[in-house]
Coordinates of all heavy atoms in Angstrom, one line a residue:
V1 N -114.4 -40.6 15.5 CA -115.6 -39.9 14.9 C -115.1 -38.8 13.9 O -114.5 -37.9 14.4 CB -116.5 -39.3 16.0 CG1 -117.8 -38.7 15.3 CG2 -117.0 -40.4 17.0
H2 N -115.5 -39.0 12.7 CA -115.1 -38.0 11.7 C -116.1 -37.0 11.6 O -117.3 -37.2 11.2 CB -114.9 -38.7 10.3 CG -113.7 -39.7 10.3 ND1 -112.5 -39.4 9.6 CD2 -113.5 -40.9 10.9 CE1 -111.7 -40.4 9.7 NE2 -112.2 -41.3 10.5
I3 N -115.7 -35.7 11.9 CA -116.7 -34.6 11.8 C -116.1 -33.6 10.8 O -114.9 -33.3 10.8 CB -116.9 -34.0 13.1 CG1 -115.6 -33.5 13.8 CG2 -117.7 -34.9 14.0 CD1 -115.9 -32.8 15.1
P4 N -116.9 -33.0 10.0 CA -116.4 -32.0 8.9 C -115.9 -30.7 9.6 O -116.2 -30.4 10.7 CB -117.6 -31.8 8.1 CG -118.8 -32.0 9.0 CD -118.4 -33.1 9.9
A5 N -115.1 -30.0 8.8 CA -114.6 -28.7 9.3 C -115.7 -27.8 9.6 O -115.6 -26.9 10.5 CB -113.6 -28.1 8.2
S6 N -116.8 -28.0 8.9 CA -118.0 -27.1 9.1 C -118.7 -27.3 10.5 O -119.5 -26.6 10.9 CB -119.0 -27.3 8.0 OG -119.5 -28.7 8.0
A7 N -118.2 -28.4 11.2 CA -118.8 -28.6 12.6 C -118.2 -27.7 13.6 O -118.7 -27.7 14.8 CB -118.5 -30.1 13.0
L8 N -117.1 -27.0 13.3 CA -116.5 -26.1 14.2 C -117.5 -24.9 14.6 O -118.0 -24.3 13.7 CB -115.2 -25.5 13.6 CG -114.4 -24.5 14.4 CD1 -113.8 -25.1 15.6 CD2 -113.3 -23.8 13.5
I9 N -117.6 -24.7 15.9 CA -118.5 -23.6 16.4 C -117.5 -22.5 16.8 O -116.7 -22.7 17.7 CB -119.4 -24.0 17.5 CG1 -120.3 -25.1 17.1 CG2 -120.2 -22.8 18.1 CD1 -121.2 -25.7 18.2
G10 N -117.6 -21.3 16.2 CA -116.7 -20.2 16.5 C -115.3 -20.6 15.8 O -115.3 -21.1 14.7
K11 N -114.3 -20.3 16.6 CA -112.9 -20.6 16.1 C -112.2 -21.6 17.1 O -112.7 -21.8 18.2 CB -112.1 -19.3 16.1 CG -112.7 -18.2 15.2 CD -111.9 -16.9 15.2 CE -112.4 -15.8 14.3 NZ -111.6 -14.6 14.4
E12 N -111.2 -22.1 16.6 CA -110.3 -23.0 17.4 C -109.8 -22.2 18.6 O -109.4 -21.0 18.5 CB -109.2 -23.6 16.6 CG -109.5 -24.6 15.6 CD -108.3 -25.3 15.0 OE1 -107.2 -25.0 15.4 OE2 -108.5 -26.1 14.0
G13 N -109.9 -22.8 19.8 CA -109.4 -22.1 21.0 C -110.5 -21.3 21.7 O -110.2 -20.8 22.8
E14 N -111.7 -21.2 21.1 CA -112.7 -20.4 21.8 C -113.7 -21.3 22.5 O -114.7 -20.8 23.1 CB -113.5 -19.6 20.7 CG -112.7 -18.5 20.1 CD -113.5 -17.7 19.1 OE1 -114.6 -18.2 18.7 OE2 -113.1 -16.6 18.7
G15 N -113.4 -22.6 22.6 CA -114.4 -23.5 23.3 C -114.7 -23.2 24.7 O -115.9 -23.3 25.1
F16 N -113.6 -22.9 25.5 CA -113.9 -22.6 26.9 C -114.7 -21.3 27.1 O -115.7 -21.3 27.9 CB -112.5 -22.4 27.6 CG -112.7 -22.1 29.1 CD1 -113.0 -23.2 30.0 CD2 -112.5 -20.9 29.6 CE1 -113.1 -22.9 31.3 CE2 -112.6 -20.6 31.0 CZ -112.9 -21.6 31.8
K17 N -114.4 -20.3 26.3 CA -115.2 -19.0 26.4 C -116.7 -19.3 26.0 O -117.6 -18.8 26.7 CB -114.6 -18.0 25.4 CG -115.3 -16.7 25.4 CD -114.7 -15.7 24.5 CE -114.9 -16.1 23.0 NZ -114.4 -15.0 22.1
I18 N -116.9 -20.1 25.0 CA -118.3 -20.3 24.5 C -119.0 -21.2 25.6 O -120.2 -20.9 25.9 CB -118.3 -21.1 23.2 CG1 -117.7 -20.1 22.1 CG2 -119.7 -21.5 22.8 CD1 -117.5 -20.8 20.8
A19 N -118.3 -22.2 26.2 CA -118.9 -23.0 27.2 C -119.3 -22.2 28.4 O -120.4 -22.4 29.0 CB -117.9 -24.1 27.6
M20 N -118.4 -21.3 28.9 CA -118.7 -20.5 30.0 C -119.8 -19.5 29.8 O -120.7 -19.3 30.6 CB -117.4 -19.7 30.5 CG -116.3 -20.6 31.0 SD -116.8 -21.7 32.4 CE -116.9 -23.3 31.5
K21 N -119.9 -19.0 28.6 CA -121.0 -18.1 28.2 C -122.3 -18.9 28.2 O -123.4 -18.4 28.6 CB -120.7 -17.5 26.8 CG -121.7 -16.3 26.5 CD -121.4 -15.1 27.3 CE -122.2 -13.9 26.8 NZ -122.0 -12.7 27.6
T22 N -122.3 -20.1 27.7 CA -123.4 -21.0 27.7 C -124.0 -21.2 29.1 O -125.2 -21.1 29.4 CB -123.1 -22.3 27.1 OG1 -122.7 -22.1 25.7 CG2 -124.3 -23.3 27.1
L23 N -123.0 -21.5 30.0 CA -123.4 -21.7 31.4 C -123.9 -20.5 32.1 O -124.9 -20.5 32.9 CB -122.3 -22.4 32.2 CG -121.8 -23.8 31.7 CD1 -120.6 -24.2 32.5 CD2 -123.0 -24.8 31.9
E24 N -123.3 -19.3 31.8 CA -123.7 -18.1 32.3 C -125.2 -17.8 32.0 O -126.0 -17.4 32.9 CB -122.9 -16.9 31.8 CG -121.5 -16.8 32.4 CD -120.7 -15.7 31.7 OE1 -121.3 -14.9 30.9 OE2 -119.5 -15.6 31.9
Q25 N -125.6 -18.1 30.8 CA -126.9 -17.8 30.3 C -127.9 -18.8 30.8 O -129.1 -18.6 30.8 CB -127.0 -17.7 28.8 CG -126.1 -16.5 28.3 CD -126.6 -16.0 27.0 OE1 -127.6 -16.4 26.4 NE2 -126.0 -15.0 26.4
G26 N -127.4 -19.9 31.3 CA -128.3 -20.9 31.9 C -128.6 -20.8 33.3 O -129.5 -21.5 33.9
R27 N -127.9 -19.9 34.0 CA -128.0 -19.9 35.5 C -129.3 -19.2 35.9 O -129.8 -19.5 37.1 CB -126.8 -19.2 36.1 CG -125.6 -20.2 36.0 CD -124.3 -19.6 36.6 NE -123.3 -20.7 36.4 CZ -122.1 -20.4 35.9 NH1 -121.7 -19.2 35.6 NH2 -121.2 -21.4 35.8
A28 N -129.9 -18.4 35.1 CA -131.3 -17.9 35.5 C -132.2 -19.0 35.5 O -133.1 -19.1 36.4 CB -131.7 -16.8 34.5

């Protein structure tokens, strides 16, 4: 699957941090 560079959310290597923050905010 070819995705453009603009598909990057945040920076490379920040995926785990963003995922955990996402789950943190979903627990309420």
Side-chain angles (χ1 to χ4, degrees):
V1 180
H2 291 252
I3 56 175
S6 59
L8 179 67
I9 299 176
K11 298 178 181 178
E12 288 186 6
E14 292 184 343
F16 182 75
K17 179 179 72 174
I18 297 170
M20 293 304 103
K21 191 72 174 176
T22 296
L23 294 175
E24 282 174 12
Q25 297 209 0
R27 284 179 184 134

